[in-house]
Amino acid sequence: MPASTASALDLLDGRIAGCRACPRLVEWREEVARTKRAAFADWTYWGRPVPGFGPSDARLLIVGLAPAAHGGNRTGRMFTGDRSGDVLYQALYDVGLASQPTSVAADDGLELYGVRITSPVHCAPPANKPTPGERDMCRPWLVRELRLLRPTVRSVVVLGAFGWQAALPAFAEAGWSVPRPRPAFGHGVRVPLDDPGGGRGLDVFGCFHVSQRNTFTGRLTPEMLRDVLRTAAESAEAAGR
């Protein structure tokens, strides 16, 4: 990856972290950072939008929903410090895409191998539910990130129906052809997107979100998650040859 691209992604991450475009989200994330949770009373919360995490030459992108109030909003890193992240990073480690199975703090030494993690909404929302307007306001950040990743990214795993609905328009804006009508979300769904400009296409995979509601009930098992991640990583590797 050219240094200029990595620098551009770093600049984008910094701009995302300074965004104050959505008043409801700004108020909520900062209130949570002030009041904290008793278990994290000694933490200084991040309390800002959480940028993407992972290398700038990633072949595989994972798209979530939004940071957790006491997870990414506390630690400043995607899926770090919450139960959803515990499940995701264990699976990434199990399939050889992460250096360690845990993600507890931004300075814990975790590295991702060829994978970047982002979300369509970068601020922690009340009740984990961004509004459609907040989703649309945040979309330009995802579009810019996708454009910067275009030289290398070949596969995307989208976690959950909200992320799927938010990501498909972003893929179209970033230059890939999205079928019409838009493909429906489903676990294990695979949708190939062509590049009308003659560049490399993109395989988009659906996966149930790693929320406690899904993982505690068995709707999403560790094996199911590993299977999707492994298939997407193999697809990205094959396309990059």
Side-chain angles (χ1 to χ4, degrees), residues 36-211:
K36 306 182 182 181
R37 178 175 282 174
F40 307 120
D42 59 340
W43 276 75
T44 298
Y45 274 52
W46 173 256
R48 299 159 64 190
V50 181
F53 167 55
S56 58
D57 60 351
R59 288 186 176 179
L60 172 61
L61 181 67
I62 297 174
V63 178
L65 190 162
H70 302 281
N73 190 56
R74 170 173 59 93
T75 63
R77 194 171 72 189
M78 285 286 174
F79 282 104
T80 297
D82 61 53
R83 294 289 182 88
S84 295
D86 292 344
V87 174
L88 178 60
Y89 285 109
Q90 178 69 61
L92 286 168
Y93 175 78
D94 289 344
V95 299
L97 297 174
S99 63
Q100 60 193 46
T102 57
S103 178
V104 297
D107 60 355
D108 62 7
L110 172 66
E111 293 183 52
L112 298 181
Y113 303 138
V115 182
R116 185 171 172 86
I117 301 176
T118 192
S119 65
V121 175
H122 287 276
C123 290
N128 292 321
K129 292 182 179 179
T131 67
E134 290 161 351
R135 173 200 64 198
D136 294 345
M137 181 67 74
C138 211
R139 182 177 298 146
W141 295 126
L142 179 57
V143 172
R144 292 170 196 172
E145 188 170 12
L146 288 168
R147 286 173 176 163
L148 289 172
L149 293 171
R150 275 183 71 94
T152 60
V153 70
R154 299 292 177 260
S155 293
V156 181
V157 173
V158 182
L159 302 174
F162 181 97
W164 185 266
Q165 293 164 3
L168 290 181
F171 295 143
E173 287 189 45
W176 287 281
S177 294
V178 176
R180 290 185 176 277
R182 288 177 182 164
F185 171 77
H187 182 82
V189 166
R190 179 176 185 167
V191 178
L193 305 183
D194 294 329
D195 183 344
R200 294 293 185 96
L202 191 68
D203 276 343
V204 181
F205 296 82
C207 179
F208 290 141
H209 197 279
V210 288
S211 66

